[in-house]
Structure formats: C-alpha cells, structure tokens
Amino acid sequence: MCYAHCSPTQQYYYGGNCVNVCPNGTFFDFTNVYCYDCNALCLTCQNSSLNCTSCSGTFLYANTCVTQCPSGYYGQSNVCIQCSNSSAGCSQPLTFSTSTSV
C-alpha cells in the first residue's frame, strides 16, 4: 500500500512509483491511494475506469466514448451535442458561417 511507501509530496502510487498527481489516462482511487488506468477508449476518466470525462479519436456521450453519436446528436470536438431542433437525424451542427471574398 502506498501509505507506507510514499511521501506527503508524492502521495499517489502508480506503475511501481510514487507520484504527486495521477497521470492523464488514470483515475484516483481514494481507498487504496492508487492511480488506476482508464478504459482504453477514454482519454481521461473519473472515479472508475469506465466513467470517461474525455475521449481521443471518438466522441464523449453519457460518460462513454463512442465512435458515432446516437440519433439526435452530432459530433463536435470529440463530444456528442444534442441537436437543437426536433429532427432526430441531424448530422451537422445547426449553425452556419458565411465568408466573403474581395
């Protein structure tokens, strides 16, 4: 257990070493004072390996990383965002931009 081996400045245990913070891709377990790896799909997670807080190469939806957002959502910046109209099949953000050329 980490209590006996780590110092007050490096109080968490991960990968055979004491660290001052849990590294990205891990979550902190208060019971064991240990950093555990997140699920492989999660970039970051909290309180459990399956409770994703961010994703890489996939979209975050309901604390899970998914390859495709469900009906009624669209993907933007690795997050599924609910459509703002009643159409269940939206696939793009419901905003537009204009540009002008001189």
Side-chain angles (χ1 to χ4, degrees):
M1 294 263 296
C2 187
Y3 295 114
H5 302 292
C6 295
S7 71
T9 57
Q10 292 189 318
Q11 55 192 352
Y12 311 117
Y13 192 74
Y14 177 72
N17 297 304
C18 294
V19 294
N20 60 344
V21 295
C22 289
N24 283 341
T26 67
F27 71 97
F28 178 66
D29 179 340
F30 290 96
T31 305
N32 298 319
V33 192
Y34 196 89
C35 303
Y36 290 100
D37 290 326
C38 295
N39 178 292
L41 295 176
C42 302
L43 181 62
T44 58
C45 62
Q46 185 177 14
N47 300 328
S48 103
S49 65
L50 298 175
N51 186 29
C52 303
T53 54
S54 67
C55 306
S56 178
T58 55
F59 299 103
L60 182 64
Y61 173 74
N63 294 17
T64 303
C65 295
V66 295
T67 57
Q68 183 176 359
C69 294
S71 180
Y73 290 79
Y74 65 92
Q76 182 177 350
S77 301
N78 295 87
V79 176
C80 291
I81 299 171
Q82 190 169 15
C83 298
S84 61
N85 68 7
S86 60
S87 171
C90 76
S91 60
Q92 297 294 321
L94 299 175
T95 60
F96 65 93
S97 61
T98 59
S99 63
T100 56
S101 299
V102 179

